[in-house]
Amino acid sequence: NQYSLFKYAFTPSAVHCIGKIAAERKAVIEAAGLPFHGDPMGTIHKIHHLDEHPEFRAFYEYMDGPYALDHRYLHEDCGCGGAFALSVARRLGMEMPVLEAFLGVAGAINDRDYIHGGRTLENLGFAAEMTLPEIIAAL
């Protein structure tokens, strides 16, 4: 049997942590005045209830991997999405303690600084003194 993220990764404790990070992300998006989308909990629920959502069976049955933690899934999720979300939260004066903890652990595992070296507002060229409304206007 090959490892499948969709079969084996969504344990109750992992799903609980994903839910906490999703809630942190939702709070930041709403504080930024942006529309919320992309809640992972809906997808996880569908994967856990394949009898009601057969359209997700292909993910569960045929997609394998990843086979290591030093993998693009982790690098992209942490270095792009996670680092960016955390930098926006900080710009808004908010905290994302669960996400920050996971980024720190993932960074330790892969010897990378996802928090400071990832795709942050600062690394994208938005100076620390710029407010989020100024950044949005500049885009």
Side-chain angles (χ1 to χ4, degrees), residues 25-47:
R25 180 179 167 270
K26 184 176 190 274
V28 170
I29 290 169
E30 289 175 348
L34 300 170
F36 175 72
H37 62 88
D39 184 6
M41 302 310 289
T43 301
I44 293 168
H45 173 80
K46 290 173 183 174
I47 290 169

mmCIF file with all atom_site columns, all heavy atoms in Angstrom, residues 25-47:
data_model
loop_
_atom_site.group_PDB
_atom_site.id
_atom_site.type_symbol
_atom_site.label_atom_id
_atom_site.label_alt_id
_atom_site.label_comp_id
_atom_site.label_asym_id
_atom_site.label_entity_id
_atom_site.label_seq_id
_atom_site.pdbx_PDB_ins_code
_atom_site.Cartn_x
_atom_site.Cartn_y
_atom_site.Cartn_z
_atom_site.occupancy
_atom_site.B_iso_or_equiv
_atom_site.pdbx_formal_charge
_atom_site.auth_seq_id
_atom_site.auth_comp_id
_atom_site.auth_asym_id
_atom_site.auth_atom_id
_atom_site.pdbx_PDB_model_num
ATOM 1   N N   . ARG A 1 25 ? -7.380  31.829 9.847  1.00 0.00 ? 25 ARG A N   1
ATOM 2   C CA  . ARG A 1 25 ? -7.329  32.399 8.500  1.00 0.00 ? 25 ARG A CA  1
ATOM 3   C C   . ARG A 1 25 ? -8.609  33.172 8.181  1.00 0.00 ? 25 ARG A C   1
ATOM 4   O O   . ARG A 1 25 ? -8.569  34.279 7.649  1.00 0.00 ? 25 ARG A O   1
ATOM 5   C CB  . ARG A 1 25 ? -7.116  31.266 7.487  1.00 0.00 ? 25 ARG A CB  1
ATOM 6   C CG  . ARG A 1 25 ? -7.032  31.703 6.057  1.00 0.00 ? 25 ARG A CG  1
ATOM 7   C CD  . ARG A 1 25 ? -6.793  30.468 5.147  1.00 0.00 ? 25 ARG A CD  1
ATOM 8   N NE  . ARG A 1 25 ? -6.995  30.793 3.769  1.00 0.00 ? 25 ARG A NE  1
ATOM 9   C CZ  . ARG A 1 25 ? -8.159  30.699 3.128  1.00 0.00 ? 25 ARG A CZ  1
ATOM 10  N NH1 . ARG A 1 25 ? -9.230  30.245 3.746  1.00 0.00 ? 25 ARG A NH1 1
ATOM 11  N NH2 . ARG A 1 25 ? -8.254  31.041 1.858  1.00 0.00 ? 25 ARG A NH2 1
ATOM 12  N N   . LYS A 1 26 ? -9.760  32.598 8.530  1.00 0.00 ? 26 LYS A N   1
ATOM 13  C CA  . LYS A 1 26 ? -11.045 33.259 8.294  1.00 0.00 ? 26 LYS A CA  1
ATOM 14  C C   . LYS A 1 26 ? -11.115 34.585 9.032  1.00 0.00 ? 26 LYS A C   1
ATOM 15  O O   . LYS A 1 26 ? -11.563 35.592 8.480  1.00 0.00 ? 26 LYS A O   1
ATOM 16  C CB  . LYS A 1 26 ? -12.190 32.340 8.716  1.00 0.00 ? 26 LYS A CB  1
ATOM 17  C CG  . LYS A 1 26 ? -13.577 32.894 8.434  1.00 0.00 ? 26 LYS A CG  1
ATOM 18  C CD  . LYS A 1 26 ? -14.645 31.863 8.811  1.00 0.00 ? 26 LYS A CD  1
ATOM 19  C CE  . LYS A 1 26 ? -16.006 32.275 8.337  1.00 0.00 ? 26 LYS A CE  1
ATOM 20  N NZ  . LYS A 1 26 ? -16.712 33.149 9.247  1.00 0.00 ? 26 LYS A NZ  1
ATOM 21  N N   . ALA A 1 27 ? -10.656 34.622 10.271 1.00 0.00 ? 27 ALA A N   1
ATOM 22  C CA  . ALA A 1 27 ? -10.673 35.855 11.060 1.00 0.00 ? 27 ALA A CA  1
ATOM 23  C C   . ALA A 1 27 ? -9.813  36.941 10.414 1.00 0.00 ? 27 ALA A C   1
ATOM 24  O O   . ALA A 1 27 ? -10.203 38.117 10.376 1.00 0.00 ? 27 ALA A O   1
ATOM 25  C CB  . ALA A 1 27 ? -10.203 35.578 12.488 1.00 0.00 ? 27 ALA A CB  1
ATOM 26  N N   . VAL A 1 28 ? -8.662  36.565 9.888  1.00 0.00 ? 28 VAL A N   1
ATOM 27  C CA  . VAL A 1 28 ? -7.775  37.533 9.230  1.00 0.00 ? 28 VAL A CA  1
ATOM 28  C C   . VAL A 1 28 ? -8.417  38.050 7.948  1.00 0.00 ? 28 VAL A C   1
ATOM 29  O O   . VAL A 1 28 ? -8.408  39.257 7.673  1.00 0.00 ? 28 VAL A O   1
ATOM 30  C CB  . VAL A 1 28 ? -6.383  36.917 8.960  1.00 0.00 ? 28 VAL A CB  1
ATOM 31  C CG1 . VAL A 1 28 ? -5.546  37.819 8.065  1.00 0.00 ? 28 VAL A CG1 1
ATOM 32  C CG2 . VAL A 1 28 ? -5.662  36.651 10.276 1.00 0.00 ? 28 VAL A CG2 1
ATOM 33  N N   . ILE A 1 29 ? -8.977  37.155 7.151  1.00 0.00 ? 29 ILE A N   1
ATOM 34  C CA  . ILE A 1 29 ? -9.615  37.558 5.894  1.00 0.00 ? 29 ILE A CA  1
ATOM 35  C C   . ILE A 1 29 ? -10.771 38.520 6.173  1.00 0.00 ? 29 ILE A C   1
ATOM 36  O O   . ILE A 1 29 ? -10.916 39.552 5.511  1.00 0.00 ? 29 ILE A O   1
ATOM 37  C CB  . ILE A 1 29 ? -10.089 36.316 5.107  1.00 0.00 ? 29 ILE A CB  1
ATOM 38  C CG1 . ILE A 1 29 ? -8.872  35.557 4.577  1.00 0.00 ? 29 ILE A CG1 1
ATOM 39  C CG2 . ILE A 1 29 ? -11.034 36.707 3.969  1.00 0.00 ? 29 ILE A CG2 1
ATOM 40  C CD1 . ILE A 1 29 ? -9.195  34.184 4.015  1.00 0.00 ? 29 ILE A CD1 1
ATOM 41  N N   . GLU A 1 30 ? -11.581 38.191 7.163  1.00 0.00 ? 30 GLU A N   1
ATOM 42  C CA  . GLU A 1 30 ? -12.709 39.061 7.502  1.00 0.00 ? 30 GLU A CA  1
ATOM 43  C C   . GLU A 1 30 ? -12.238 40.400 8.062  1.00 0.00 ? 30 GLU A C   1
ATOM 44  O O   . GLU A 1 30 ? -12.805 41.443 7.737  1.00 0.00 ? 30 GLU A O   1
ATOM 45  C CB  . GLU A 1 30 ? -13.646 38.350 8.469  1.00 0.00 ? 30 GLU A CB  1
ATOM 46  C CG  . GLU A 1 30 ? -14.410 37.221 7.794  1.00 0.00 ? 30 GLU A CG  1
ATOM 47  C CD  . GLU A 1 30 ? -15.273 36.409 8.742  1.00 0.00 ? 30 GLU A CD  1
ATOM 48  O OE1 . GLU A 1 30 ? -15.135 36.549 9.981  1.00 0.00 ? 30 GLU A OE1 1
ATOM 49  O OE2 . GLU A 1 30 ? -16.086 35.620 8.236  1.00 0.00 ? 30 GLU A OE2 1
ATOM 50  N N   . ALA A 1 31 ? -11.174 40.392 8.876  1.00 0.00 ? 31 ALA A N   1
ATOM 51  C CA  . ALA A 1 31 ? -10.626 41.642 9.411  1.00 0.00 ? 31 ALA A CA  1
ATOM 52  C C   . ALA A 1 31 ? -10.064 42.517 8.301  1.00 0.00 ? 31 ALA A C   1
ATOM 53  O O   . ALA A 1 31 ? -10.075 43.750 8.405  1.00 0.00 ? 31 ALA A O   1
ATOM 54  C CB  . ALA A 1 31 ? -9.549  41.344 10.450 1.00 0.00 ? 31 ALA A CB  1
ATOM 55  N N   . ALA A 1 32 ? -9.595  41.898 7.230  1.00 0.00 ? 32 ALA A N   1
ATOM 56  C CA  . ALA A 1 32 ? -9.072  42.643 6.080  1.00 0.00 ? 32 ALA A CA  1
ATOM 57  C C   . ALA A 1 32 ? -10.201 43.173 5.201  1.00 0.00 ? 32 ALA A C   1
ATOM 58  O O   . ALA A 1 32 ? -9.949  43.923 4.261  1.00 0.00 ? 32 ALA A O   1
ATOM 59  C CB  . ALA A 1 32 ? -8.142  41.754 5.256  1.00 0.00 ? 32 ALA A CB  1
ATOM 60  N N   . GLY A 1 33 ? -11.440 42.769 5.493  1.00 0.00 ? 33 GLY A N   1
ATOM 61  C CA  . GLY A 1 33 ? -12.576 43.225 4.709  1.00 0.00 ? 33 GLY A CA  1
ATOM 62  C C   . GLY A 1 33 ? -12.716 42.520 3.377  1.00 0.00 ? 33 GLY A C   1
ATOM 63  O O   . GLY A 1 33 ? -13.341 43.032 2.456  1.00 0.00 ? 33 GLY A O   1
ATOM 64  N N   . LEU A 1 34 ? -12.148 41.324 3.296  1.00 0.00 ? 34 LEU A N   1
ATOM 65  C CA  . LEU A 1 34 ? -12.186 40.562 2.056  1.00 0.00 ? 34 LEU A CA  1
ATOM 66  C C   . LEU A 1 34 ? -13.164 39.403 2.179  1.00 0.00 ? 34 LEU A C   1
ATOM 67  O O   . LEU A 1 34 ? -13.432 38.929 3.280  1.00 0.00 ? 34 LEU A O   1
ATOM 68  C CB  . LEU A 1 34 ? -10.785 40.042 1.727  1.00 0.00 ? 34 LEU A CB  1
ATOM 69  C CG  . LEU A 1 34 ? -9.723  41.126 1.531  1.00 0.00 ? 34 LEU A CG  1
ATOM 70  C CD1 . LEU A 1 34 ? -8.334  40.510 1.445  1.00 0.00 ? 34 LEU A CD1 1
ATOM 71  C CD2 . LEU A 1 34 ? -10.036 41.957 0.308  1.00 0.00 ? 34 LEU A CD2 1
ATOM 72  N N   . PRO A 1 35 ? -13.692 38.916 1.054  1.00 0.00 ? 35 PRO A N   1
ATOM 73  C CA  . PRO A 1 35 ? -14.625 37.781 1.131  1.00 0.00 ? 35 PRO A CA  1
ATOM 74  C C   . PRO A 1 35 ? -13.885 36.486 1.469  1.00 0.00 ? 35 PRO A C   1
ATOM 75  O O   . PRO A 1 35 ? -12.787 36.236 0.956  1.00 0.00 ? 35 PRO A O   1
ATOM 76  C CB  . PRO A 1 35 ? -15.229 37.718 -0.267 1.00 0.00 ? 35 PRO A CB  1
ATOM 77  C CG  . PRO A 1 35 ? -14.240 38.401 -1.156 1.00 0.00 ? 35 PRO A CG  1
ATOM 78  C CD  . PRO A 1 35 ? -13.531 39.428 -0.313 1.00 0.00 ? 35 PRO A CD  1
ATOM 79  N N   . PHE A 1 36 ? -14.482 35.695 2.316  1.00 0.00 ? 36 PHE A N   1
ATOM 80  C CA  . PHE A 1 36 ? -13.896 34.421 2.725  1.00 0.00 ? 36 PHE A CA  1
ATOM 81  C C   . PHE A 1 36 ? -14.296 33.344 1.736  1.00 0.00 ? 36 PHE A C   1
ATOM 82  O O   . PHE A 1 36 ? -15.437 33.266 1.298  1.00 0.00 ? 36 PHE A O   1
ATOM 83  C CB  . PHE A 1 36 ? -14.379 34.051 4.129  1.00 0.00 ? 36 PHE A CB  1
ATOM 84  C CG  . PHE A 1 36 ? -13.916 32.706 4.590  1.00 0.00 ? 36 PHE A CG  1
ATOM 85  C CD1 . PHE A 1 36 ? -12.598 32.492 4.925  1.00 0.00 ? 36 PHE A CD1 1
ATOM 86  C CD2 . PHE A 1 36 ? -14.807 31.645 4.681  1.00 0.00 ? 36 PHE A CD2 1
ATOM 87  C CE1 . PHE A 1 36 ? -12.153 31.252 5.350  1.00 0.00 ? 36 PHE A CE1 1
ATOM 88  C CE2 . PHE A 1 36 ? -14.381 30.396 5.105  1.00 0.00 ? 36 PHE A CE2 1
ATOM 89  C CZ  . PHE A 1 36 ? -13.055 30.204 5.442  1.00 0.00 ? 36 PHE A CZ  1
ATOM 90  N N   . HIS A 1 37 ? -13.337 32.492 1.395  1.00 0.00 ? 37 HIS A N   1
ATOM 91  C CA  . HIS A 1 37 ? -13.599 31.351 0.513  1.00 0.00 ? 37 HIS A CA  1
ATOM 92  C C   . HIS A 1 37 ? -12.550 30.285 0.812  1.00 0.00 ? 37 HIS A C   1
ATOM 93  O O   . HIS A 1 37 ? -11.554 30.536 1.474  1.00 0.00 ? 37 HIS A O   1
ATOM 94  C CB  . HIS A 1 37 ? -13.528 31.755 -0.961 1.00 0.00 ? 37 HIS A CB  1
ATOM 95  C CG  . HIS A 1 37 ? -12.168 32.245 -1.365 1.00 0.00 ? 37 HIS A CG  1
ATOM 96  N ND1 . HIS A 1 37 ? -11.182 31.407 -1.795 1.00 0.00 ? 37 HIS A ND1 1
ATOM 97  C CD2 . HIS A 1 37 ? -11.629 33.482 -1.348 1.00 0.00 ? 37 HIS A CD2 1
ATOM 98  C CE1 . HIS A 1 37 ? -10.091 32.110 -2.046 1.00 0.00 ? 37 HIS A CE1 1
ATOM 99  N NE2 . HIS A 1 37 ? -10.326 33.370 -1.783 1.00 0.00 ? 37 HIS A NE2 1
ATOM 100 N N   . GLY A 1 38 ? -12.773 29.096 0.331  1.00 0.00 ? 38 GLY A N   1
ATOM 101 C CA  . GLY A 1 38 ? -11.762 28.049 0.424  1.00 0.00 ? 38 GLY A CA  1
ATOM 102 C C   . GLY A 1 38 ? -11.622 27.389 1.777  1.00 0.00 ? 38 GLY A C   1
ATOM 103 O O   . GLY A 1 38 ? -10.520 27.060 2.177  1.00 0.00 ? 38 GLY A O   1
ATOM 104 N N   . ASP A 1 39 ? -12.724 27.162 2.462  1.00 0.00 ? 39 ASP A N   1
ATOM 105 C CA  . ASP A 1 39 ? -12.653 26.487 3.753  1.00 0.00 ? 39 ASP A CA  1
ATOM 106 C C   . ASP A 1 39 ? -12.327 25.009 3.551  1.00 0.00 ? 39 ASP A C   1
ATOM 107 O O   . ASP A 1 39 ? -13.104 24.281 2.934  1.00 0.00 ? 39 ASP A O   1
ATOM 108 C CB  . ASP A 1 39 ? -13.981 26.629 4.488  1.00 0.00 ? 39 ASP A CB  1
ATOM 109 C CG  . ASP A 1 39 ? -13.961 26.041 5.879  1.00 0.00 ? 39 ASP A CG  1
ATOM 110 O OD1 . ASP A 1 39 ? -12.885 25.611 6.351  1.00 0.00 ? 39 ASP A OD1 1
ATOM 111 O OD2 . ASP A 1 39 ? -15.023 26.029 6.522  1.00 0.00 ? 39 ASP A OD2 1
ATOM 112 N N   . PRO A 1 40 ? -11.171 24.538 4.070  1.00 0.00 ? 40 PRO A N   1
ATOM 113 C CA  . PRO A 1 40 ? -10.782 23.138 3.854  1.00 0.00 ? 40 PRO A CA  1
ATOM 114 C C   . PRO A 1 40 ? -11.665 22.135 4.585  1.00 0.00 ? 40 PRO A C   1
ATOM 115 O O   . PRO A 1 40 ? -11.679 20.964 4.240  1.00 0.00 ? 40 PRO A O   1
ATOM 116 C CB  . PRO A 1 40 ? -9.352  23.090 4.386  1.00 0.00 ? 40 PRO A CB  1
ATOM 117 C CG  . PRO A 1 40 ? -9.315  24.156 5.428  1.00 0.00 ? 40 PRO A CG  1
ATOM 118 C CD  . PRO A 1 40 ? -10.209 25.254 4.890  1.00 0.00 ? 40 PRO A CD  1
ATOM 119 N N   . MET A 1 41 ? -12.408 22.582 5.567  1.00 0.00 ? 41 MET A N   1
ATOM 120 C CA  . MET A 1 41 ? -13.199 21.651 6.363  1.00 0.00 ? 41 MET A CA  1
ATOM 121 C C   . MET A 1 41 ? -14.299 20.996 5.524  1.00 0.00 ? 41 MET A C   1
ATOM 122 O O   . MET A 1 41 ? -14.647 19.842 5.754  1.00 0.00 ? 41 MET A O   1
ATOM 123 C CB  . MET A 1 41 ? -13.791 22.364 7.582  1.00 0.00 ? 41 MET A CB  1
ATOM 124 C CG  . MET A 1 41 ? -12.732 22.996 8.489  1.00 0.00 ? 41 MET A CG  1
ATOM 125 S SD  . MET A 1 41 ? -11.376 21.887 8.956  1.00 0.00 ? 41 MET A SD  1
ATOM 126 C CE  . MET A 1 41 ? -12.252 20.805 10.059 1.00 0.00 ? 41 MET A CE  1
ATOM 127 N N   . GLY A 1 42 ? -14.823 21.705 4.549  1.00 0.00 ? 42 GLY A N   1
ATOM 128 C CA  . GLY A 1 42 ? -15.844 21.124 3.683  1.00 0.00 ? 42 GLY A CA  1
ATOM 129 C C   . GLY A 1 42 ? -15.301 19.969 2.860  1.00 0.00 ? 42 GLY A C   1
ATOM 130 O O   . GLY A 1 42 ? -15.944 18.926 2.734  1.00 0.00 ? 42 GLY A O   1
ATOM 131 N N   . THR A 1 43 ? -14.100 20.148 2.325  1.00 0.00 ? 43 THR A N   1
ATOM 132 C CA  . THR A 1 43 ? -13.469 19.083 1.544  1.00 0.00 ? 43 THR A CA  1
ATOM 133 C C   . THR A 1 43 ? -13.165 17.883 2.418  1.00 0.00 ? 43 THR A C   1
ATOM 134 O O   . THR A 1 43 ? -13.398 16.739 2.021  1.00 0.00 ? 43 THR A O   1
ATOM 135 C CB  . THR A 1 43 ? -12.184 19.604 0.874  1.00 0.00 ? 43 THR A CB  1
ATOM 136 O OG1 . THR A 1 43 ? -12.525 20.696 0.025  1.00 0.00 ? 43 THR A OG1 1
ATOM 137 C CG2 . THR A 1 43 ? -11.498 18.507 0.076  1.00 0.00 ? 43 THR A CG2 1
ATOM 138 N N   . ILE A 1 44 ? -12.646 18.129 3.594  1.00 0.00 ? 44 ILE A N   1
ATOM 139 C CA  . ILE A 1 44 ? -12.323 17.029 4.515  1.00 0.00 ? 44 ILE A CA  1
ATOM 140 C C   . ILE A 1 44 ? -13.594 16.261 4.878  1.00 0.00 ? 44 ILE A C   1
ATOM 141 O O   . ILE A 1 44 ? -13.601 15.030 4.896  1.00 0.00 ? 44 ILE A O   1
ATOM 142 C CB  . ILE A 1 44 ? -11.602 17.555 5.773  1.00 0.00 ? 44 ILE A CB  1
ATOM 143 C CG1 . ILE A 1 44 ? -10.216 18.082 5.374  1.00 0.00 ? 44 ILE A CG1 1
ATOM 144 C CG2 . ILE A 1 44 ? -11.498 16.469 6.841  1.00 0.00 ? 44 ILE A CG2 1
ATOM 145 C CD1 . ILE A 1 44 ? -9.525  18.875 6.464  1.00 0.00 ? 44 ILE A CD1 1
ATOM 146 N N   . HIS A 1 45 ? -14.665 16.979 5.143  1.00 0.00 ? 45 HIS A N   1
ATOM 147 C CA  . HIS A 1 45 ? -15.941 16.315 5.458  1.00 0.00 ? 45 HIS A CA  1
ATOM 148 C C   . HIS A 1 45 ? -16.369 15.415 4.294  1.00 0.00 ? 45 HIS A C   1
ATOM 149 O O   . HIS A 1 45 ? -16.793 14.280 4.512  1.00 0.00 ? 45 HIS A O   1
ATOM 150 C CB  . HIS A 1 45 ? -17.029 17.347 5.753  1.00 0.00 ? 45 HIS A CB  1
ATOM 151 C CG  . HIS A 1 45 ? -18.381 16.748 5.922  1.00 0.00 ? 45 HIS A CG  1
ATOM 152 N ND1 . HIS A 1 45 ? -18.779 16.145 7.095  1.00 0.00 ? 45 HIS A ND1 1
ATOM 153 C CD2 . HIS A 1 45 ? -19.416 16.623 5.053  1.00 0.00 ? 45 HIS A CD2 1
ATOM 154 C CE1 . HIS A 1 45 ? -20.002 15.675 6.944  1.00 0.00 ? 45 HIS A CE1 1
ATOM 155 N NE2 . HIS A 1 45 ? -20.414 15.962 5.711  1.00 0.00 ? 45 HIS A NE2 1
ATOM 156 N N   . LYS A 1 46 ? -16.225 15.907 3.078  1.00 0.00 ? 46 LYS A N   1
ATOM 157 C CA  . LYS A 1 46 ? -16.629 15.113 1.912  1.00 0.00 ? 46 LYS A CA  1
ATOM 158 C C   . LYS A 1 46 ? -15.758 13.873 1.756  1.00 0.00 ? 46 LYS A C   1
ATOM 159 O O   . LYS A 1 46 ? -16.257 12.803 1.394  1.00 0.00 ? 46 LYS A O   1
ATOM 160 C CB  . LYS A 1 46 ? -16.594 15.978 0.661  1.00 0.00 ? 46 LYS A CB  1
ATOM 161 C CG  . LYS A 1 46 ? -17.692 17.026 0.654  1.00 0.00 ? 46 LYS A CG  1
ATOM 162 C CD  . LYS A 1 46 ? -17.562 17.987 -0.502 1.00 0.00 ? 46 LYS A CD  1
ATOM 163 C CE  . LYS A 1 46 ? -18.644 19.049 -0.406 1.00 0.00 ? 46 LYS A CE  1
ATOM 164 N NZ  . LYS A 1 46 ? -18.483 20.076 -1.423 1.00 0.00 ? 46 LYS A NZ  1
ATOM 165 N N   . ILE A 1 47 ? -14.482 13.999 2.043  1.00 0.00 ? 47 ILE A N   1
ATOM 166 C CA  . ILE A 1 47 ? -13.592 12.840 1.959  1.00 0.00 ? 47 ILE A CA  1
ATOM 167 C C   . ILE A 1 47 ? -13.934 11.813 3.036  1.00 0.00 ? 47 ILE A C   1
ATOM 168 O O   . ILE A 1 47 ? -13.865 10.613 2.804  1.00 0.00 ? 47 ILE A O   1
ATOM 169 C CB  . ILE A 1 47 ? -12.116 13.287 2.034  1.00 0.00 ? 47 ILE A CB  1
ATOM 170 C CG1 . ILE A 1 47 ? -11.749 14.022 0.746  1.00 0.00 ? 47 ILE A CG1 1
ATOM 171 C CG2 . ILE A 1 47 ? -11.183 12.111 2.275  1.00 0.00 ? 47 ILE A CG2 1
ATOM 172 C CD1 . ILE A 1 47 ? -10.432 14.742 0.787  1.00 0.00 ? 47 ILE A CD1 1
#
